[in-house]
Amino acid sequence: MAGTVSALAIGPDAALWAGGSFGVARWDGNRWAAVGTGAADIGQVSCLAFSPAGDLIVGAYGVYRWTGTDWASLNLPLDASIHALVYDSVGNLYVSGRESRIDNYFHFVARRDGNQWVALAGTYGDNGHNYLPIYSLAADASGNVYFGGDFSYL
């Protein structure tokens, strides 16, 4: 594994997983092994999370699930780079990121309920500049989801 590491996660198998400019790699206690064919599969990985079922979910230029043999898109309906991922206490996946447009970009947080993405109200800016970037997400056991980022425009 060579390159910049952007994210780390401990999997349900107790292995260390890393994401970054190289794609995704897994440390088994002795060596690193590439997951898939590297960054050519999904691009630079910015964040990792494991679903309640133990599936590896990655944020890159889109959101993907590792099937054990390939990367499957979770079909985020935006052309977006992903900043953060987190699961809440009932298994909903939250993502934050930035969608690019022709001469503009927009920050957002979305929740995946089963197979459907839902934009969270008040998190999608379109005022023509760096608006409400959310770089980190966390969830507690009570179902609360917390956002961290640059809130100078609130």
Side-chain angles (χ1 to χ4, degrees), residues 73-80 99 101 108 110 112 115-119 124:
S73 174
L74 294 185
N75 299 316
L76 183 68
L78 300 170
D79 188 21
E99 180 186 17
R101 301 258 173 112
F108 66 90
R112 185 171 172 91
N115 292 322
Q116 179 180 354
W117 288 101
V118 178
Y124 195 84

Side-chain angles (χ1 to χ4, degrees), residues 60-108:
Y61 201 75
V63 182
Y64 301 89
R65 180 180 60 83
W66 177 244
T67 66
T69 58
D70 202 0
W71 293 104
S73 174
L74 294 185
N75 299 316
L76 183 68
L78 300 170
D79 188 21
S81 58
I82 305 303
H83 297 310
L85 303 164
V86 71
Y87 278 89
D88 68 12
S89 61
V90 297
N92 294 315
L93 174 61
Y94 289 80
V95 302
S96 69
R98 183 176 93 171
E99 180 186 17
S100 298
R101 301 258 173 112
I102 294 170
D103 62 350
N104 211 343
Y105 53 89
F106 306 93
H107 293 278
F108 66 90

Side-chain angles (χ1 to χ4, degrees), residues 8-86:
L8 296 170
I10 302 297
D13 60 354
L16 176 63
W17 296 72
S21 60
F22 48 85
V24 177
R26 181 182 175 275
W27 176 256
D28 66 6
N30 295 308
R31 67 178 188 86
W32 287 102
V35 176
T37 59
D41 287 343
I42 55 176
Q44 181 165 330
V45 172
S46 56
C47 48
L48 306 169
F50 282 90
S51 74
D55 294 325
L56 174 63
I57 309 298
V58 302
Y61 201 75
V63 182
Y64 301 89
R65 180 180 60 83
W66 177 244
T67 66
T69 58
D70 202 0
W71 293 104
S73 174
L74 294 185
N75 299 316
L76 183 68
L78 300 170
D79 188 21
S81 58
I82 305 303
H83 297 310
L85 303 164
V86 71

